[in-house]
Amino acid sequence: METRRLAVVSNRLPIVLKQDANAQWSITSASGGLVTALGPVLRNRGGMWIGWLGSTSESLSSGFQLKQFLQKGNEESGYTLEPVELTEEELRKYYFGFSNEILWPLFHDMPTRCNFDPEYWGVYKQVNQKFARAVLAHTAFDDYVWVHDYQLILVAMEIKKLGEKRHCGFFLHIPFPPLDVFLKLPWRFQLLDALMQYDLVGFQTVRDRRNFIECIQTLTPGAKIFGSGHVCKLTTGKQEIRLGTFPISIDYQGFADLAGTKEVADEAWIIHQNLPNRQLILGIDRLDYTKGIPNRLMAFAAALKRYPQMRKKITLIQVVVPSRGNIREYNLLKQEIERLVGEINGQFTEVGWTPIIYMYRSLSRSELVAYYRTCEIALITPLKDGMNLVAKEYCASNVDENGVLILSEFAGAAAQLHQAAILVNPFDIEAVAEAIYRAFTMAPDERKTRMQRLRRSIARQNVFHWVKTFLRAGIENDLSSFPLMELFVPRRAKRSAMNHD
Protein backbone atom coordinates (compact mmCIF):
# COMPACT_ATOMS: atom_id res chain seq x y z
CA MET A 1 0.00 0.00 0.00
CA GLU A 2 1.39 3.39 -0.97
CA THR A 3 0.40 5.80 1.78
CA ARG A 4 1.13 9.45 1.09
CA ARG A 5 0.03 11.26 4.22
CA LEU A 6 -0.19 10.63 7.93
CA ALA A 7 -3.24 12.04 9.73
CA VAL A 8 -3.07 12.01 13.53
CA VAL A 9 -6.46 12.21 15.25
CA SER A 10 -6.72 12.98 18.96
CA ASN A 11 -9.09 14.73 21.32
CA ARG A 12 -6.97 17.89 21.40
CA LEU A 13 -4.90 19.71 18.83
CA PRO A 14 -1.29 20.39 19.88
CA ILE A 15 -2.20 24.07 20.33
CA VAL A 16 -4.47 25.82 22.81
CA LEU A 17 -6.47 29.01 22.34
CA LYS A 18 -6.62 31.28 25.36
CA GLN A 19 -8.50 34.50 26.02
CA ASP A 20 -7.11 37.08 28.45
CA ALA A 21 -8.95 39.56 30.68
CA ASN A 22 -9.14 42.03 27.78
CA ALA A 23 -10.90 39.46 25.57
CA GLN A 24 -7.79 39.11 23.43
CA TRP A 25 -7.05 35.65 22.05
CA SER A 26 -3.63 34.03 21.93
CA ILE A 27 -2.25 30.68 20.84
CA THR A 28 0.11 28.51 22.88
CA SER A 29 1.56 25.03 22.51
CA ALA A 30 -0.35 22.30 24.31
CA SER A 31 1.29 20.05 26.87
CA GLY A 32 0.92 16.34 27.47
CA GLY A 33 2.55 13.07 26.58
CA LEU A 34 1.02 12.74 23.12
CA VAL A 35 2.16 16.18 21.97
CA THR A 36 5.61 15.57 23.42
CA ALA A 37 5.84 12.25 21.63
CA LEU A 38 4.38 13.05 18.21
CA GLY A 39 5.51 16.66 17.75
CA PRO A 40 9.10 15.77 16.79
CA VAL A 41 7.86 13.02 14.48
CA LEU A 42 5.38 15.07 12.43
CA ARG A 43 7.37 18.28 12.32
CA ASN A 44 8.34 19.21 8.74
CA ARG A 45 7.09 15.88 7.38
CA GLY A 46 3.71 17.09 6.17
CA GLY A 47 0.52 15.38 7.19
CA MET A 48 -1.96 16.77 9.64
CA TRP A 49 -3.36 16.69 13.14
CA ILE A 50 -7.14 16.61 13.62
CA GLY A 51 -8.51 17.55 17.03
CA TRP A 52 -10.48 19.90 19.23
CA LEU A 53 -9.17 23.46 19.46
CA GLY A 54 -9.61 23.82 23.22
CA SER A 55 -12.46 26.36 23.17
CA THR A 56 -16.14 25.63 22.67
CA SER A 57 -18.06 27.05 19.73
CA GLU A 58 -20.12 29.23 22.10
CA SER A 59 -16.99 30.86 23.53
CA LEU A 60 -15.64 32.04 20.16
CA SER A 61 -16.90 35.49 19.23
CA SER A 62 -18.36 36.19 15.81
CA GLY A 63 -15.32 38.21 14.77
CA PHE A 64 -12.82 35.58 15.79
CA GLN A 65 -10.25 34.98 13.04
CA LEU A 66 -9.84 31.21 13.27
CA LYS A 67 -7.91 30.87 10.01
CA GLN A 68 -5.33 33.38 11.21
CA PHE A 69 -4.62 31.42 14.38
CA LEU A 70 -4.56 28.11 12.54
CA GLN A 71 -2.06 29.49 10.05
CA LYS A 72 0.18 30.54 12.90
CA GLY A 73 -0.22 27.10 14.45
CA ASN A 74 0.65 25.44 11.13
CA GLU A 75 3.82 27.49 10.85
CA GLU A 76 4.92 26.84 14.42
CA SER A 77 4.15 23.13 14.45
CA GLY A 78 5.36 22.26 10.95
CA TYR A 79 2.18 20.40 10.00
CA THR A 80 -1.45 21.20 9.18
CA LEU A 81 -4.00 21.58 11.97
CA GLU A 82 -7.64 20.75 11.32
CA PRO A 83 -10.04 21.73 14.15
CA VAL A 84 -13.17 19.92 15.30
CA GLU A 85 -15.63 22.22 17.05
CA LEU A 86 -17.38 21.10 20.23
CA THR A 87 -20.33 22.69 22.02
CA GLU A 88 -20.48 23.20 25.76
CA GLU A 89 -22.86 20.25 26.12
CA GLU A 90 -20.62 17.99 24.03
CA LEU A 91 -17.57 18.95 26.07
CA ARG A 92 -19.44 18.29 29.31
CA LYS A 93 -20.95 14.92 28.37
CA TYR A 94 -18.40 13.50 25.91
CA TYR A 95 -15.14 14.66 27.50
CA PHE A 96 -15.78 15.33 31.18
CA GLY A 97 -18.59 12.79 31.19
CA PHE A 98 -18.12 9.56 29.25
CA SER A 99 -14.37 9.89 28.72
CA ASN A 100 -13.30 11.04 32.17
CA GLU A 101 -16.09 9.92 34.50
CA ILE A 102 -16.40 6.46 32.96
CA LEU A 103 -13.54 5.29 30.74
CA TRP A 104 -10.67 6.97 32.61
CA PRO A 105 -11.40 5.56 36.08
CA LEU A 106 -12.60 2.20 34.74
CA PHE A 107 -9.52 1.63 32.58
CA HIS A 108 -7.35 2.57 35.58
CA ASP A 109 -9.01 -0.17 37.69
CA MET A 110 -11.04 2.29 39.74
CA PRO A 111 -14.67 1.41 38.90
CA THR A 112 -16.00 2.90 42.15
CA ARG A 113 -15.11 6.33 40.76
CA CYS A 114 -17.25 5.80 37.64
CA ASN A 115 -20.48 7.68 36.95
CA PHE A 116 -22.36 5.51 34.44
CA ASP A 117 -24.75 8.26 33.34
CA PRO A 118 -26.66 6.89 30.30
CA GLU A 119 -26.84 10.35 28.71
CA TYR A 120 -23.06 10.37 28.26
CA TRP A 121 -23.05 7.49 25.76
CA GLY A 122 -25.20 9.22 23.15
CA VAL A 123 -23.06 12.35 23.17
CA TYR A 124 -19.87 10.27 23.08
CA LYS A 125 -21.14 8.63 19.87
CA GLN A 126 -22.18 12.02 18.47
CA VAL A 127 -18.73 13.57 18.99
CA ASN A 128 -16.93 10.52 17.60
CA GLN A 129 -19.05 10.90 14.47
CA LYS A 130 -17.96 14.56 14.26
CA PHE A 131 -14.35 13.43 14.28
CA ALA A 132 -15.10 10.77 11.67
CA ARG A 133 -16.61 13.41 9.38
CA ALA A 134 -13.53 15.61 9.88
CA VAL A 135 -11.29 12.69 8.91
CA LEU A 136 -13.27 12.10 5.72
CA ALA A 137 -13.28 15.80 4.86
CA HIS A 138 -9.51 16.20 5.11
CA THR A 139 -8.03 12.86 4.07
CA ALA A 140 -8.01 10.64 1.01
CA PHE A 141 -8.33 6.87 0.69
CA ASP A 142 -4.56 6.32 0.53
CA ASP A 143 -3.78 8.34 3.68
CA TYR A 144 -3.10 6.58 6.95
CA VAL A 145 -5.33 7.68 9.84
CA TRP A 146 -3.81 7.16 13.28
CA VAL A 147 -6.43 7.62 16.02
CA HIS A 148 -5.31 8.14 19.60
CA ASP A 149 -6.76 7.23 22.93
CA TYR A 150 -9.92 6.46 24.82
CA GLN A 151 -11.90 9.57 23.85
CA LEU A 152 -12.12 8.44 20.20
CA ILE A 153 -12.59 4.66 20.26
CA LEU A 154 -15.59 4.84 17.89
CA VAL A 155 -13.99 6.83 15.03
CA ALA A 156 -13.24 3.89 12.69
CA MET A 157 -16.74 2.48 13.25
CA GLU A 158 -18.32 5.87 12.50
CA ILE A 159 -16.27 6.17 9.30
CA LYS A 160 -17.62 2.83 8.13
CA LYS A 161 -21.17 3.83 9.08
CA LEU A 162 -20.78 6.83 6.77
CA GLY A 163 -20.05 4.40 3.94
CA GLU A 164 -16.37 5.32 3.55
CA LYS A 165 -13.09 3.44 3.89
CA ARG A 166 -9.83 4.61 5.48
CA HIS A 167 -6.74 2.75 6.61
CA CYS A 168 -7.07 3.28 10.38
CA GLY A 169 -4.86 2.39 13.31
CA PHE A 170 -5.68 3.01 16.95
CA PHE A 171 -3.35 3.45 19.91
CA LEU A 172 -4.56 3.31 23.51
CA HIS A 173 -2.35 5.45 25.74
CA ILE A 174 -3.98 4.38 29.00
CA PRO A 175 -4.14 0.84 30.43
CA PHE A 176 -6.74 -1.65 29.26
CA PRO A 177 -8.53 -3.16 32.28
CA PRO A 178 -8.80 -6.83 33.20
CA LEU A 179 -11.99 -8.72 32.40
CA ASP A 180 -13.63 -8.45 35.82
CA VAL A 181 -13.30 -4.67 35.69
CA PHE A 182 -14.24 -4.24 32.03
CA LEU A 183 -17.44 -6.26 32.55
CA LYS A 184 -18.79 -3.42 34.71
CA LEU A 185 -19.05 -1.19 31.64
CA PRO A 186 -22.66 -1.06 30.38
CA TRP A 187 -21.42 -0.47 26.80
CA ARG A 188 -18.76 -3.18 26.84
CA PHE A 189 -19.97 -4.94 23.67
CA GLN A 190 -20.19 -1.69 21.71
CA LEU A 191 -16.65 -0.65 22.64
CA LEU A 192 -15.13 -4.02 21.80
CA ASP A 193 -16.93 -4.04 18.46
CA ALA A 194 -15.71 -0.50 17.74
CA LEU A 195 -12.09 -1.46 18.42
CA MET A 196 -12.47 -4.40 16.04
CA GLN A 197 -13.13 -1.91 13.18
CA TYR A 198 -9.50 -0.77 13.13
CA ASP A 199 -6.81 -2.46 11.06
CA LEU A 200 -4.39 -2.33 13.98
CA VAL A 201 -4.91 -1.68 17.69
CA GLY A 202 -1.84 -0.82 19.74
CA PHE A 203 -1.34 -1.09 23.50
CA GLN A 204 1.38 0.15 25.82
CA THR A 205 2.24 -3.21 27.42
CA VAL A 206 1.82 -6.95 26.98
CA ARG A 207 -0.45 -6.92 30.04
CA ASP A 208 -2.85 -4.45 28.40
CA ARG A 209 -3.05 -6.50 25.21
CA ARG A 210 -3.57 -9.68 27.24
CA ASN A 211 -6.47 -8.03 29.09
CA PHE A 212 -8.06 -6.98 25.79
CA ILE A 213 -7.69 -10.46 24.30
CA GLU A 214 -9.28 -12.02 27.38
CA CYS A 215 -12.25 -9.64 27.09
CA ILE A 216 -12.70 -10.41 23.38
CA GLN A 217 -12.44 -14.16 23.86
CA THR A 218 -14.93 -14.09 26.72
CA LEU A 219 -17.50 -11.80 25.12
CA THR A 220 -17.12 -12.69 21.42
CA PRO A 221 -17.86 -16.31 20.45
CA GLY A 222 -15.35 -17.82 18.02
CA ALA A 223 -12.56 -15.28 18.65
CA LYS A 224 -9.13 -16.75 17.92
CA ILE A 225 -5.56 -15.50 18.25
CA PHE A 226 -2.81 -16.31 15.76
CA GLY A 227 0.89 -15.61 16.11
CA SER A 228 3.11 -14.39 18.92
CA GLY A 229 5.59 -11.61 19.48
CA HIS A 230 4.75 -7.92 19.75
CA VAL A 231 2.10 -8.16 16.98
CA CYS A 232 -0.50 -10.91 16.67
CA LYS A 233 -3.69 -11.45 14.68
CA LEU A 234 -7.22 -11.64 16.11
CA THR A 235 -10.14 -13.08 14.15
CA THR A 236 -13.79 -13.41 15.11
CA GLY A 237 -15.14 -14.99 11.94
CA LYS A 238 -16.51 -11.65 10.78
CA GLN A 239 -13.50 -9.43 11.44
CA GLU A 240 -9.73 -9.68 11.47
CA ILE A 241 -7.36 -7.17 13.02
CA ARG A 242 -3.81 -6.99 14.31
CA LEU A 243 -3.00 -6.34 17.95
CA GLY A 244 0.38 -5.00 19.01
CA THR A 245 2.36 -3.76 21.98
CA PHE A 246 4.13 -0.47 21.27
CA PRO A 247 5.50 1.23 24.43
CA ILE A 248 5.41 4.96 23.76
CA SER A 249 8.60 6.92 24.35
CA ILE A 250 10.15 10.38 24.07
CA ASP A 251 12.50 12.39 21.89
CA TYR A 252 15.50 11.22 23.89
CA GLN A 253 18.08 13.29 22.04
CA GLY A 254 15.94 16.40 22.27
CA PHE A 255 15.78 16.18 26.07
CA ALA A 256 19.45 15.26 26.40
CA ASP A 257 20.53 18.15 24.17
CA LEU A 258 18.36 20.65 26.04
CA ALA A 259 19.68 19.41 29.39
CA GLY A 260 23.20 20.08 28.16
CA THR A 261 22.58 23.72 27.23
CA LYS A 262 23.97 26.61 29.24
CA GLU A 263 20.47 27.94 29.91
CA VAL A 264 19.37 24.72 31.62
CA ALA A 265 22.72 24.29 33.40
CA ASP A 266 22.39 27.79 34.84
CA GLU A 267 18.81 27.14 35.98
CA ALA A 268 19.86 23.86 37.58
CA TRP A 269 22.71 25.60 39.41
CA ILE A 270 20.32 28.23 40.78
CA ILE A 271 17.94 25.52 42.06
CA HIS A 272 20.70 23.83 44.05
CA GLN A 273 22.17 27.12 45.22
CA ASN A 274 18.80 27.97 46.75
CA LEU A 275 18.58 24.50 48.32
CA PRO A 276 22.20 23.77 49.30
CA ASN A 277 23.73 20.78 51.09
CA ARG A 278 20.90 18.37 50.48
CA GLN A 279 19.62 15.84 47.95
CA LEU A 280 16.54 16.82 45.99
CA ILE A 281 13.69 14.44 45.22
CA LEU A 282 11.43 15.37 42.33
CA GLY A 283 7.77 14.46 42.02
CA ILE A 284 5.99 15.94 39.03
CA ASP A 285 2.49 14.96 38.01
CA ARG A 286 -0.67 16.22 36.41
CA LEU A 287 -3.39 16.62 39.04
CA ASP A 288 -5.10 13.23 38.93
CA TYR A 289 -6.12 10.56 41.43
CA THR A 290 -4.28 7.89 39.40
CA LYS A 291 -0.90 9.52 40.12
CA GLY A 292 -0.80 8.49 43.78
CA ILE A 293 0.38 11.86 45.07
CA PRO A 294 -1.16 11.53 48.58
CA ASN A 295 0.41 8.07 48.96
CA ARG A 296 3.76 9.51 47.91
CA LEU A 297 3.56 12.34 50.42
CA MET A 298 2.71 9.90 53.21
CA ALA A 299 5.66 7.69 52.19
CA PHE A 300 8.01 10.68 52.30
CA ALA A 301 6.72 11.56 55.78
CA ALA A 302 7.25 7.94 56.84
CA ALA A 303 10.83 8.08 55.56
CA LEU A 304 11.56 11.25 57.56
CA LYS A 305 10.10 9.64 60.67
CA ARG A 306 11.85 6.31 60.24
CA TYR A 307 15.21 7.71 59.11
CA PRO A 308 15.77 10.96 61.04
CA GLN A 309 19.32 11.19 59.66
CA MET A 310 17.78 12.33 56.35
CA ARG A 311 16.25 15.45 57.90
CA LYS A 312 17.79 18.70 56.70
CA LYS A 313 19.65 16.65 54.07
CA ILE A 314 16.78 15.96 51.70
CA THR A 315 13.93 17.99 50.18
CA LEU A 316 10.97 16.82 48.11
CA ILE A 317 10.02 19.16 45.27
CA GLN A 318 6.46 18.23 44.36
CA VAL A 319 5.11 19.87 41.21
CA VAL A 320 1.41 19.41 40.45
CA VAL A 321 0.28 20.57 37.02
CA PRO A 322 -3.33 21.88 37.05
CA SER A 323 -5.83 19.63 35.30
CA ARG A 324 -9.65 19.40 35.04
CA GLY A 325 -10.10 22.10 37.64
CA ASN A 326 -13.85 22.31 37.05
CA ILE A 327 -14.39 18.74 38.27
CA ARG A 328 -15.23 18.53 41.97
CA GLU A 329 -13.24 15.36 42.57
CA TYR A 330 -10.06 16.99 41.28
CA ASN A 331 -10.57 20.02 43.49
CA LEU A 332 -10.98 17.72 46.48
CA LEU A 333 -7.76 15.94 45.53
CA LYS A 334 -5.94 19.27 45.33
CA GLN A 335 -7.20 20.13 48.81
CA GLU A 336 -6.04 16.78 50.17
CA ILE A 337 -2.56 17.23 48.66
CA GLU A 338 -2.24 20.71 50.10
CA ARG A 339 -3.45 19.51 53.49
CA LEU A 340 -0.83 16.75 53.55
CA VAL A 341 1.94 19.12 52.46
CA GLY A 342 0.98 21.52 55.25
CA GLU A 343 0.83 18.77 57.87
CA ILE A 344 4.19 17.26 56.90
CA ASN A 345 5.93 20.61 56.72
CA GLY A 346 4.34 21.59 60.02
CA GLN A 347 5.61 18.40 61.67
CA PHE A 348 9.17 18.29 60.34
CA THR A 349 10.24 21.82 59.36
CA GLU A 350 13.33 23.16 61.13
CA VAL A 351 15.12 26.50 60.89
CA GLY A 352 16.67 26.68 57.42
CA TRP A 353 14.92 23.56 56.12
CA THR A 354 11.45 22.85 54.78
CA PRO A 355 10.97 19.20 53.82
CA ILE A 356 8.49 19.74 50.94
CA ILE A 357 8.45 22.49 48.35
CA TYR A 358 5.06 22.40 46.66
CA MET A 359 4.24 24.06 43.33
CA TYR A 360 0.79 24.02 41.73
CA ARG A 361 1.51 25.26 38.23
CA SER A 362 2.91 24.29 34.85
CA LEU A 363 6.61 24.55 34.14
CA SER A 364 8.24 25.79 30.96
CA ARG A 365 10.19 23.17 29.06
CA SER A 366 13.58 24.55 30.07
CA GLU A 367 12.49 24.91 33.70
CA LEU A 368 11.20 21.33 33.71
CA VAL A 369 14.45 19.96 32.28
CA ALA A 370 16.43 21.98 34.80
CA TYR A 371 14.58 20.20 37.62
CA TYR A 372 15.13 16.87 35.87
CA ARG A 373 18.85 17.56 35.64
CA THR A 374 19.41 18.84 39.15
CA CYS A 375 17.31 16.47 41.26
CA GLU A 376 19.20 13.42 42.49
CA ILE A 377 16.08 11.27 42.90
CA ALA A 378 12.87 11.02 40.86
CA LEU A 379 9.89 9.66 42.80
CA ILE A 380 7.35 8.50 40.21
CA THR A 381 4.67 6.43 41.92
CA PRO A 382 1.35 6.31 40.03
CA LEU A 383 -1.28 3.89 41.27
CA LYS A 384 -1.82 2.94 37.62
CA ASP A 385 -0.39 4.48 34.47
CA GLY A 386 -0.37 3.58 30.79
CA MET A 387 3.31 4.45 30.43
CA ASN A 388 4.49 7.59 32.30
CA LEU A 389 6.81 9.61 30.09
CA VAL A 390 8.07 11.68 33.04
CA ALA A 391 10.21 8.69 34.07
CA LYS A 392 11.82 8.61 30.63
CA GLU A 393 12.22 12.38 30.41
CA TYR A 394 13.97 12.42 33.79
CA CYS A 395 16.50 9.81 32.69
CA ALA A 396 17.15 11.45 29.31
CA SER A 397 17.77 14.80 31.03
CA ASN A 398 20.06 13.31 33.69
CA VAL A 399 23.19 14.06 31.69
CA ASP A 400 25.40 13.96 34.80
CA GLU A 401 24.21 10.38 35.32
CA ASN A 402 23.94 10.76 39.09
CA GLY A 403 20.19 10.30 39.46
CA VAL A 404 18.10 7.48 40.89
CA LEU A 405 14.69 6.54 39.50
CA ILE A 406 12.10 5.22 41.97
CA LEU A 407 9.25 3.90 39.84
CA SER A 408 5.85 2.37 40.53
CA GLU A 409 5.55 -1.21 39.34
CA PHE A 410 2.09 -0.23 38.06
CA ALA A 411 3.46 2.26 35.53
CA GLY A 412 3.76 0.95 31.99
CA ALA A 413 7.37 2.19 31.95
CA ALA A 414 8.26 -0.41 34.58
CA ALA A 415 8.22 -3.15 31.93
CA GLN A 416 11.15 -1.46 30.17
CA LEU A 417 12.99 0.19 33.07
CA HIS A 418 12.62 -2.35 35.88
CA GLN A 419 16.19 -3.67 35.74
CA ALA A 420 17.84 -0.38 36.66
CA ALA A 421 15.08 1.53 38.49
CA ILE A 422 13.99 0.91 42.08
CA LEU A 423 10.51 -0.56 41.67
CA VAL A 424 7.93 0.04 44.39
CA ASN A 425 4.32 -0.72 45.21
CA PRO A 426 2.83 2.77 45.77
CA PHE A 427 0.19 1.33 48.10
CA ASP A 428 2.95 0.07 50.43
CA ILE A 429 3.85 3.25 52.30
CA GLU A 430 6.65 1.69 54.36
CA ALA A 431 8.26 0.04 51.33
CA VAL A 432 8.29 3.35 49.43
CA ALA A 433 9.86 5.00 52.50
CA GLU A 434 12.59 2.34 52.46
CA ALA A 435 13.14 2.93 48.73
CA ILE A 436 13.60 6.65 49.38
CA TYR A 437 16.24 5.90 52.00
CA ARG A 438 17.92 3.38 49.70
CA ALA A 439 18.13 5.98 46.92
CA PHE A 440 19.34 8.62 49.38
CA THR A 441 22.23 6.39 50.56
CA MET A 442 23.08 4.81 47.19
CA ALA A 443 26.78 4.94 46.29
CA PRO A 444 27.79 7.17 43.35
CA ASP A 445 29.12 4.23 41.32
CA GLU A 446 25.81 2.35 41.57
CA ARG A 447 23.87 5.49 40.70
CA LYS A 448 25.96 5.98 37.58
CA THR A 449 25.71 2.36 36.47
CA ARG A 450 21.94 2.30 36.91
CA MET A 451 21.37 5.62 35.16
CA GLN A 452 23.59 4.66 32.24
CA ARG A 453 21.52 1.51 31.71
CA LEU A 454 18.28 3.48 31.88
CA ARG A 455 19.49 6.08 29.42
CA ARG A 456 20.79 3.52 26.93
CA SER A 457 17.46 1.70 26.97
CA ILE A 458 15.44 4.88 26.39
CA ALA A 459 17.82 6.09 23.68
CA ARG A 460 17.38 2.83 21.78
CA GLN A 461 13.60 2.78 22.15
CA ASN A 462 12.85 6.46 21.57
CA VAL A 463 9.74 8.08 20.10
CA PHE A 464 10.93 7.50 16.55
CA HIS A 465 11.29 3.80 17.30
CA TRP A 466 7.71 3.83 18.67
CA VAL A 467 6.29 5.43 15.53
CA LYS A 468 8.38 3.25 13.23
CA THR A 469 7.25 0.00 14.85
CA PHE A 470 3.58 1.08 14.84
CA LEU A 471 3.64 2.16 11.19
CA ARG A 472 5.47 -0.97 10.11
CA ALA A 473 2.78 -3.04 11.78
CA GLY A 474 -0.02 -0.83 10.40
CA ILE A 475 1.06 -0.23 6.80
CA GLU A 476 4.19 -2.33 6.43
CA ASN A 477 6.25 0.81 5.97
CA ASP A 478 7.83 3.44 8.17
CA LEU A 479 8.02 7.21 8.58
CA SER A 480 10.27 7.62 5.54
CA SER A 481 7.27 6.88 3.29
CA PHE A 482 5.68 10.22 4.18
CA PRO A 483 6.63 13.37 2.23
CA LEU A 484 8.54 16.39 3.39
CA MET A 485 6.60 19.60 3.96
CA GLU A 486 7.56 21.26 0.66
CA LEU A 487 6.15 18.28 -1.27
CA PHE A 488 3.04 18.22 0.85
CA VAL A 489 1.86 21.83 0.60
CA PRO A 490 0.87 21.89 -3.10
CA ARG A 491 -1.17 18.70 -2.68
CA ARG A 492 -2.97 20.18 0.34
CA ALA A 493 -3.65 23.47 -1.49
CA LYS A 494 -5.05 21.64 -4.49
CA ARG A 495 -7.35 19.55 -2.32
CA SER A 496 -8.64 22.68 -0.53
CA ALA A 497 -9.50 24.26 -3.84
CA MET A 498 -11.37 21.16 -4.92
CA ASN A 499 -13.36 21.10 -1.70
CA HIS A 500 -14.17 24.79 -2.07
CA ASP A 501 -15.55 24.24 -5.55
Side-chain angles (χ1 to χ4, degrees):
M1 181 181 72
E2 181 185 354
T3 299
R4 288 198 290 267
R5 287 201 304 177
L6 176 63
V8 171
V9 186
S10 69
N11 175 62
R12 292 288 293 267
L13 285 174
I15 60 170
V16 175
L17 282 175
K18 292 185 177 180
Q19 191 175 30
D20 61 23
N22 298 319
Q24 296 298 311
W25 289 92
S26 63
I27 187 172
T28 59
S29 296
S31 60
L34 184 60
V35 177
T36 302
L38 280 178
V41 174
L42 292 181
R43 189 168 298 121
N44 300 324
R45 285 188 180 271
M48 69 178 64
W49 196 313
I50 298 172
W52 177 50
L53 198 56
S55 295
T56 60
S57 52
E58 292 94 337
S59 66
L60 299 178
S61 59
S62 58
F64 179 71
Q65 299 295 318
L66 178 59
K67 289 185 178 180
Q68 174 185 341
F69 282 96
L70 287 177
Q71 181 60 36
K72 182 180 178 183
N74 294 344
E75 293 170 357
E76 292 183 358
S77 65
Y79 42 88
T80 299
L81 306 174
E82 297 291 353
V84 176
E85 290 190 10
L86 298 182
T87 66
E88 293 283 356
E89 181 187 28
E90 288 171 338
L91 180 63
R92 186 174 70 256
K93 294 182 179 179
Y94 142 79
Y95 180 72
F96 292 113
F98 196 86
S99 297
N100 289 305
E101 289 185 17
I102 297 177
L103 295 184
W104 178 265
L106 187 81
F107 280 38
H108 285 86
D109 295 355
M110 299 180 182
T112 58
R113 292 181 178 269
C114 292
N115 173 19
F116 296 110
D117 188 331
E119 287 190 9
Y120 292 164
W121 172 245
V123 180
Y124 182 78
K125 289 194 296 181
Q126 173 183 315
V127 172
N128 272 250
Q129 187 177 78
K130 269 193 174 184
F131 274 84
R133 291 186 182 280
V135 169
L136 295 177
H138 300 293
T139 64
F141 174 79
D142 57 354
D143 295 333
Y144 189 68
V145 179
W146 191 358
V147 182
H148 289 267
D149 227 358
Y150 60 106
Q151 301 96 341
L152 300 174
I153 290 174
L154 309 183
V155 167
M157 173 180 282
E158 294 298 334
I159 288 174
K160 290 184 178 181
K161 284 183 179 180
L162 293 168
E164 297 284 345
K165 170 67 177 175
R166 290 293 185 273
H167 303 286
C168 292
F170 179 84
F171 186 77
L172 183 66
H173 291 257
I174 65 175
F176 195 90
L179 176 64
D180 62 326
V181 175
F182 186 74
L183 285 175
K184 294 178 171 61
L185 181 66
W187 306 275
R188 55 186 183 264
F189 292 104
Q190 293 95 319
L191 254 62
L192 288 181
D193 189 39
L195 286 168
M196 290 295 296
Q197 307 308 311
Y198 290 93
D199 304 313
L200 170 67
V201 176
F203 301 91
Q204 297 276 25
T205 68
V206 173
R207 178 190 59 210
D208 297 323
R209 186 179 68 174
R210 184 171 59 243
N211 288 344
F212 176 77
I213 290 173
E214 184 182 11
C215 290
I216 284 284
Q217 290 178 325
T218 302
L219 300 174
T220 306
K224 296 180 180 179
I225 297 293
F226 298 92
S228 58
H230 83 282
V231 178
C232 65
K233 185 186 296 182
L234 169 66
T235 65
T236 64
K238 297 180 180 179
Q239 298 145 316
E240 177 180 301
I241 66 168
R242 279 165 290 176
L243 307 175
T245 54
F246 310 95
I248 194 172
S249 194
I250 61 168
D251 179 11
Y252 172 88
Q253 200 58 51
F255 276 93
D257 290 346
L258 181 57
T261 62
K262 185 178 185 302
E263 176 189 5
V264 168
D266 289 346
E267 285 191 54
W269 182 83
I270 291 171
I271 293 169
H272 247 310
Q273 279 293 105
N274 290 330
L275 300 166
N277 304 317
R278 70 194 73 177
Q279 291 190 44
L280 302 179
I281 307 181
L282 179 64
I284 178 164
D285 310 86
R286 181 173 54 80
L287 180 67
D288 196 278
Y289 47 77
T290 64
K291 301 302 182 182
I293 302 172
N295 302 58
R296 179 185 312 157
L297 294 172
M298 289 186 285
F300 182 65
L304 295 179
K305 183 177 181 179
R306 185 171 180 177
Y307 305 103
Q309 60 269 39
M310 289 201 305
R311 299 176 193 176
K312 302 187 74 172
K313 296 180 182 178
I314 195 167
T315 293
L316 170 62
I317 300 174
Q318 178 60 59
V319 181
V320 177
V321 179
S323 175
R324 302 168 188 165
N326 55 345
I327 297 179
R328 180 176 179 272
E329 193 165 13
Y330 285 74
N331 286 324
L332 293 175
L333 174 62
K334 178 175 180 287
Q335 293 172 22
E336 181 184 6
I337 292 169
E338 292 173 351
R339 177 185 61 80
L340 284 169
V341 170
E343 287 182 0
I344 295 167
N345 281 342
Q347 181 179 357
F348 294 103
T349 294
E350 300 180 28
V351 174
W353 174 67
T354 302
I356 301 176
I357 295 176
Y358 169 71
M359 290 181 276
Y360 181 70
R361 62 181 177 89
S362 299
L363 302 179
S364 68
R365 186 177 173 87
S366 63
E367 190 178 10
L368 172 65
V369 174
Y371 278 106
Y372 284 153
R373 176 172 175 173
T374 197
C375 291
E376 289 85 358
I377 302 168
L379 190 55
I380 301 172
T381 54
L383 307 180
K384 186 86 171 188
D385 219 337
M387 178 53 58
N388 196 296
L389 295 180
V390 169
K392 297 186 176 185
E393 292 171 1
Y394 171 77
C395 296
S397 304
N398 200 258
V399 291
D400 299 316
E401 297 182 336
N402 62 349
V404 182
L405 175 62
I406 301 175
L407 181 63
S408 166
E409 60 191 42
F410 304 125
Q416 177 184 351
L417 307 179
H418 68 278
Q419 291 185 337
I422 299 177
L423 289 193
V424 295
N425 176 353
F427 296 97
D428 190 339
I429 302 300
E430 290 298 324
V432 177
E434 290 176 9
I436 293 171
Y437 181 70
R438 179 183 173 190
F440 175 75
T441 57
M442 186 177 290
D445 287 348
E446 184 180 354
R447 285 173 178 253
K448 190 175 188 68
T449 299
R450 285 173 171 269
M451 185 51 65
Q452 286 177 340
R453 292 177 67 185
L454 290 167
R455 299 184 84 231
R456 281 196 299 267
S457 175
I458 298 165
R460 285 194 304 267
Q461 299 181 42
N462 60 17
V463 66
F464 302 99
H465 173 81
W466 172 65
V467 173
K468 180 175 67 175
T469 55
F470 189 95
L471 293 179
R472 280 181 176 172
I475 60 174
E476 298 180 356
N477 213 324
D478 58 28
L479 198 62
S480 62
S481 66
F482 296 97
L484 296 175
M485 193 65 175
E486 58 265 30
L487 299 178
F488 161 74
V489 171
R491 183 171 182 254
R492 173 73 185 130
K494 181 178 178 180
R495 181 179 304 209
S496 296
M498 292 172 62
N499 288 342
H500 180 71
D501 291 339

